[in-house]
Amino acid sequence: MIPTDDVIAAPATPPGRGAVAVVRASGPDLSRLIEGLAGRTLKPRHAHYLAFRDGDGDIIDRGLALFFPAPRSYTGEDVLELHCHGSPAVVESLLQRLFQLGARPAEPGEFTRRAFLNGKLDLAQAEAVAALIESSSIQAVRAAQRSLEGEFSRLVHGLTEALTGLRVQVEAAIDFSDEDIDLIAEGDVVRRLRALMDDFAALRRRAHQGRLLEEGMTVVIAGPPNAGKSSLLNRLARREAAIVTDIAGTTRDVLRERILIDGMPLHVIDTAGLRDSDDPVEREGIRRARQAMEQADRILLVCDARDPAAAEALTADLPVSVPLTRIVNKIDLTGQPPRLEGDTVWLSARTGAGVEHLCRHLKQCMGFEAEAEDALAARRRHLDALDRAGDFLRQALAELNSGRMLDLVAENLRLAQNALGEITGEVSSDDLLGRIFSEFCIGK
């Protein structure tokens, strides 16, 4: 258990040099810190330009101090922000002074964790803070802002209220089962349950889009030597990320690039050519290539259009659990037209012909909609909770349609409601909170 009744402090800006840095402190009472550092009281929510002093009274730096008294602050506690020059030495000196005055170093995500525990944010909003910081595209920023503003949480609460109404109807039918009244039919529970499942599916789609905007997909480019794997990586990255030569075995290690396709992040991994080799360095590269393929969302198996059999001979050694897309490369040397047929793309990495077919194919594989303007920032655990809740609803509908005991219907509705509660934090545990906030950066 991380204590929540003491004062924490940490930089709120990234490490390194810059024009300005921000150091933040939060706790139940910051009067001692403020007096010891600034030598005066601070008017709430006003910027004060003053000298920050160490324990001997010497000036550490001059900058702005802002005080936000509880509960009107980010964490719901007293919060002090110190805006100083962006020297790592100045930041470290300010932190050491705060620690001398009774603060302790903040854990990752502890400021936002306190905001959650103090009711300033629910869990979905708290996680949207991290999503906003990590956003790599304007679409991801907008999705995170929607969730941070509470749109995701409001939709979850709406589903929870609808579930509560259904549970009341079903449990009333159980309590009055001896009466000559069909409360299930009169309440049209089946129709309401089907409508609720449609709402679940709509929310799942929006959350899935948000997850793709944040995380994207990982694809591994594999194939025999000299098939054009590194050329394809360079074409997708739009820069010379990998060395390209006519010498087989040029790529010895995995190369990673992160690109955007219409806002969807794509993690592209180029690998060593797959073949038998006596070179120990090349063999290690091939081992790493196979390891990367096992962890990928999709494999792009590249072949030379003049020798497609060389790549086909490798398919038996590929991980069967990872989806495969075949890339017929170097069509500029054979005169074949660029095209997409099923899971096969004909293209030229050298000229760029057909690469647009590959990009469209990858978006389709992940279910990504570039035009989706209603995406919500979501994490894997959110999608997992929505999937489990949807499964419980489908089970409840099956029980209703089969005329089985209503007790089973009521239990499935209760389990669905609990799964929803995990998203906003209404149902949580210290272990869950620890895992979530440990992924945040220090100072947030």
Side-chain angles (χ1 to χ4, degrees):
M1 290 288 292
I2 299 175
T4 59
D5 57 352
D6 53 358
V7 177
I8 57 174
T13 44
R17 291 175 173 80
V20 176
V22 177
V23 175
R24 173 190 284 171
S26 178
D29 181 10
L30 301 186
S31 57
R32 181 184 176 190
L33 268 69
I34 294 171
E35 180 62 30
L37 195 67
R40 53 169 291 187
T41 60
L42 301 179
K43 186 177 180 180
R45 287 172 291 281
H46 280 67
H48 300 267
Y49 178 71
L50 44 78
F52 307 134
R53 298 182 181 274
D54 63 18
D56 297 326
D58 296 330
I59 296 177
I60 299 172
D61 193 14
R62 293 183 184 272
L64 297 179
L66 295 92
F67 174 53
F68 304 89
R72 295 174 60 191
S73 70
Y74 177 72
T75 63
E77 305 171 325
D78 285 357
V79 171
L80 175 66
E81 286 190 0
L82 306 174
H83 297 232
C84 61
H85 290 95
S87 160
V90 169
V91 172
E92 182 61 25
S93 296
L94 285 176
L95 285 172
Q96 291 303 319
R97 180 56 177 153
L98 292 173
F99 299 153
Q100 289 173 1
L101 293 167
R104 66 165 173 83
E107 298 289 335
E110 192 169 359
F111 287 91
T112 305
R113 179 170 182 154
R114 291 190 176 196
F116 165 69
L117 294 174
N118 291 324
K120 306 297 289 187
L121 303 166
D122 65 31
L123 201 50
Q125 289 175 298
E127 290 170 286
V129 174
L132 182 59
I133 293 171
E134 297 163 3
S135 297
S136 57
S137 68
I138 190 60
Q139 295 98 323
V141 167
R142 289 169 179 162
Q145 286 287 7
R146 291 187 194 100
S147 292
L148 183 56
E149 293 296 320
E151 185 173 349
F152 191 11
S153 301
R154 285 192 294 272
L155 291 169
V156 170
H157 285 305
L159 292 175
T160 301
E161 291 178 5
L163 259 174
T164 301
L166 278 174
R167 288 185 63 190
V168 168
Q169 191 72 30
V170 171
E171 290 174 12
I174 295 172
D175 292 339
F176 295 95
S177 58
D178 294 335
E179 303 291 334
D180 191 20
I181 303 174
D182 189 350
L183 294 176
I184 295 297
E186 289 190 2
D188 200 3
V189 172
V190 172
R191 179 190 60 79
R192 292 165 58 193
L193 182 52
R194 290 185 184 278
L196 182 59
M197 292 170 66
D198 290 340
D199 292 338
F200 259 87
L203 180 57
R204 176 57 167 80
R205 180 191 62 78
R206 296 180 64 181
H208 175 69
Q209 289 297 307
R211 184 61 189 160
L212 289 179
L213 286 171
E214 181 181 346
E215 187 176 84
M217 69 183 297
T218 298
V219 298
V220 169
I221 304 176
N226 274 1
K229 300 184 298 299
S230 295
S231 296
L232 181 58
L233 172 68
N234 291 343
R235 175 62 61 179
L236 291 171
R238 298 182 181 180
R239 70 183 188 89
E240 296 299 315
I243 299 173
V244 176
T245 73
D246 292 331
I247 303 173
T250 300
T251 301
R252 298 293 189 95
D253 202 352
V254 294
L255 299 177
R256 303 173 188 272
E257 281 291 312
R258 191 173 190 273
I259 67 173
L260 291 175
I261 299 179
D262 293 335
M264 184 185 79
L266 187 68
H267 306 273
V268 187
I269 302 176
D270 183 23
T271 60
L274 302 177
R275 65 173 179 175
D276 294 329
S277 174
D278 295 329
D279 186 330
V281 177
E282 188 175 2
R283 284 205 306 269
E284 174 61 18
I286 294 170
R287 186 193 69 80
R288 295 185 182 189
R290 296 189 186 282
Q291 184 180 52
M293 285 189 285
E294 291 173 355
Q295 300 170 352
D297 294 309
R298 198 166 194 89
I299 296 172
L300 306 182
L301 182 62
V302 182
C303 73
D304 188 322
R306 298 167 298 179
D307 185 19
E312 281 302 313
L314 300 172
T315 56
D317 295 329
L318 300 181
V320 295
S321 60
V322 181
L324 179 67
T325 294
R326 288 173 169 80
I327 306 294
V328 181
N329 189 25
K330 302 185 182 183
I331 60 172
D332 54 305
L333 302 180
T334 63
Q336 295 170 280
R339 62 192 187 277
L340 168 65
E341 293 181 3
D343 288 330
T344 302
V345 183
W346 281 261
L347 55 79
S348 169
R350 187 181 70 83
T351 67
V355 173
E356 73 279 5
H357 294 306
L358 174 59
C359 293
R360 186 172 71 253
H361 170 69
L362 292 175
K363 289 189 296 181
Q364 291 172 345
C365 290
M366 290 297 285
F368 181 76
E369 303 171 21
E371 299 78 18
E373 295 296 331
D374 59 351
L376 297 166
R379 301 206 159 195
R380 287 189 184 276
R381 74 171 199 90
H382 300 150
L383 297 179
D384 175 65
L386 287 172
D387 287 341
R388 284 187 286 114
D391 288 340
F392 289 130
L393 291 182
R394 283 187 286 273
Q395 186 61 35
L397 181 61
E399 302 287 359
L400 277 173
N401 288 332
S402 64
R404 297 176 185 172
M405 291 189 302
L406 290 181
D407 288 352
L408 296 177
V409 176
E411 177 63 9
N412 278 296
L413 295 179
R414 184 189 69 81
L415 292 171
Q417 192 166 349
N418 283 348
L420 277 183
E422 294 176 12
I423 295 176
T424 55
E426 295 172 28
V427 177
S428 63
S429 66
D430 288 333
D431 179 61
L432 173 64
L433 298 181
R435 291 200 308 271
I436 289 172
F437 289 106
S438 66
E439 298 176 1
F440 281 51
C441 55
I442 299 288
K444 197 64 186 176

